[in-house]
Amino acid sequence: MTNFTEDENQKKVVELYCSAELFRGLDGELIFLSALNVFLSIAAFLGNTLILVALHKETSLHPPSKLMYRNLAITDLCVGIITEPLFVTYLTSVVNRRWDICHYTSLVLFFSGTTLSYVSLLTLTAISVDRLLALLLGHRYRQVVTLKRTQIAVTGFWILSIVGASTTLWNTLITLWFQPIFVALCLVTTIFAYTKIFLSLRQNQIRVQNHVAQRQPSQPIPLNIARYRKAVYSALWVQGTLGICYIPYNIAVFLTPRRGMPLSIYLARNFTVSMVLLNSSLNPLLYCWKIREVRQAVKETLRQLFCRSS
């Protein structure tokens, strides 16, 4: 009986997005979204491939930090080659009234999109904690935050994300509980880390201004504050862009009724999904703009590419 109830819940969720009655009169909008996401898919693929090549060549970044940015780029690359083509397939199946394809595609789309979103959120949370540890540990930072430990953490991110997203395939009720708790924990951790960072930087600035910055032997050796501040702001730009792209989708989900779905809400959800996917195309631009080492590596990669082609 429990399995039957779970299957019925899953069936209702799928039918909510693959219903002939729901999509009447929206063919033009869905075709536009399909074309838009084809472009975004190509941009995400090219941009993140270039970032991965540049990160492979770049040697001045701390290896654990470079690994986390590489993991973000891999996640965005997977969005470009997996999630966005699935979304285009889903939209075209709706336009062509291929409900069998629509049913399967919507499930796989939700699974892949949820998995990659979880990995991105966990990685950005880890970057905020990494920046806080760099400030608090000082010279001990490179001894504590090693490449091996970061690799273990990143592997754990993927396992946890796959397990969390898999709940949607067999019990949607677990997802309704897991997702908000998971997102809330990541947000609380990130807010705490950056609040602690900026309070510490503010205190350091006050000590410098008052000419009383006398470090006690038990305190960590101070960082290059200017470089550290740039690294923090770079991470904040990536985090803020993700928030801007995801907030409209969460609002649309919140406004979706449990039974039935008005045309306006359905169209809004598809547009906001495109905004979420847009984030994977914007991140390479942010890396080049805000991270000087990545920008130089990308310039060198492009220069070598054009020289070979000419």
Side-chain angles (χ1 to χ4, degrees):
M1 179 64 70
T2 302
N3 291 336
F4 177 77
T5 304
E6 292 172 359
D7 291 342
E8 286 297 311
N9 289 334
Q10 182 174 316
K11 184 178 179 181
K12 289 179 180 179
V13 171
V14 172
E15 289 179 349
L16 189 63
Y17 298 99
C18 299
S19 170
E21 297 295 328
L22 180 60
F23 310 118
R24 291 180 178 177
L26 295 180
D27 288 355
E29 290 84 350
L30 298 183
I31 292 173
F32 168 77
L33 284 176
S34 298
L36 173 63
N37 281 276
V38 168
F39 170 78
L40 293 179
S41 177
I42 296 172
F45 170 74
L46 294 177
N48 288 286
T49 300
L50 180 60
I51 292 297
L52 286 172
V53 173
L55 286 173
H56 179 72
K57 295 180 178 181
E58 209 285 321
T59 57
S60 61
L61 281 175
H62 186 40
S65 299
K66 184 167 73 171
L67 175 61
M68 284 187 282
Y69 278 110
R70 182 181 293 173
N71 190 52
L72 278 178
I74 290 174
T75 304
D76 291 331
L77 179 64
C78 290
V79 170
I81 63 177
I82 299 175
T83 306
E84 286 183 304
L86 283 172
F87 187 49
V88 172
T89 303
Y90 163 75
L91 293 174
T92 53
S93 68
V94 171
V95 172
N96 295 316
R97 307 299 189 263
R98 295 295 304 273
W99 305 122
D100 52 342
I101 298 177
C102 180
H103 288 176
Y104 291 110
T105 304
S106 60
L107 284 174
V108 180
L109 171 63
F110 192 81
F111 172 75
S112 66
T114 303
T115 299
L116 297 174
S117 296
Y118 285 169
V119 174
S120 295
L121 189 55
L122 283 169
T123 305
L124 287 171
T125 303
I127 289 175
S128 67
V129 174
D130 174 73
R131 293 298 84 205
L132 178 61
L133 292 176
L135 181 63
L136 297 180
L137 296 177
H139 70 286
R140 294 181 54 244
Y141 166 71
R142 292 180 179 269
Q143 300 173 2
V144 175
V145 182
T146 61
L147 180 60
K148 184 177 180 180
R149 290 175 178 174
T150 307
Q151 290 172 339
I152 294 174
V154 168
T155 303
F157 295 164
W158 281 93
I159 295 174
L160 177 62
S161 299
I162 292 173
V163 172
S166 297
T167 60
T168 61
L169 302 179
W170 55 278
N171 193 330
T172 55
L173 294 178
I174 295 178
T175 305
L176 294 176
W177 285 97
F178 176 82
Q179 196 168 55
I181 294 174
F182 172 83
V183 173
L185 288 175
C186 289
L187 288 178
V188 169
T189 303
T190 300
I191 292 172
F192 171 80
Y194 283 118
T195 301
K196 180 68 174 177
I197 286 171
F198 284 109
L199 288 176
S200 299
L201 290 177
R202 177 62 178 169
Q203 292 173 357
N204 179 77
Q205 184 179 5
I206 293 174
R207 287 197 300 267
V208 171
Q209 290 175 349
N210 294 333
H211 302 284
V212 291
Q214 298 179 355
R215 182 173 55 82
Q216 300 296 327
S218 60
Q219 293 178 336
I221 295 177
L223 300 169
N224 183 331
I225 295 300
R227 183 175 182 179
Y228 174 79
R229 195 185 296 271
K230 288 182 179 180
V232 170
Y233 281 125
S234 299
L236 270 175
W237 269 97
V238 177
Q239 188 106 30
T241 303
L242 180 139
I244 292 173
C245 291
Y246 274 72
I247 287 175
Y249 172 76
N250 290 321
I251 294 174
V253 170
F254 178 77
L255 294 176
T256 302
R258 292 186 178 181
R259 294 184 179 180
M261 186 185 299
L263 287 177
S264 58
I265 295 296
Y266 173 75
L267 193 58
R269 288 195 66 154
N270 281 311
F271 270 102
T272 55
V273 168
S274 298
M275 284 193 63
V276 170
L277 300 177
L278 171 65
N279 180 250
S280 297
S281 301
L282 293 178
N283 279 340
L285 299 177
L286 288 175
Y287 302 151
C288 293
W289 178 32
K290 286 297 180 179
I291 306 177
R292 180 177 57 85
E293 295 86 353
V294 174
R295 182 169 62 250
Q296 292 176 347
V298 167
K299 288 181 179 179
E300 182 62 26
T301 301
L302 290 175
R303 188 180 298 113
Q304 293 176 357
L305 181 64
F306 288 134
C307 288
R308 289 178 182 177
S309 61
S310 60

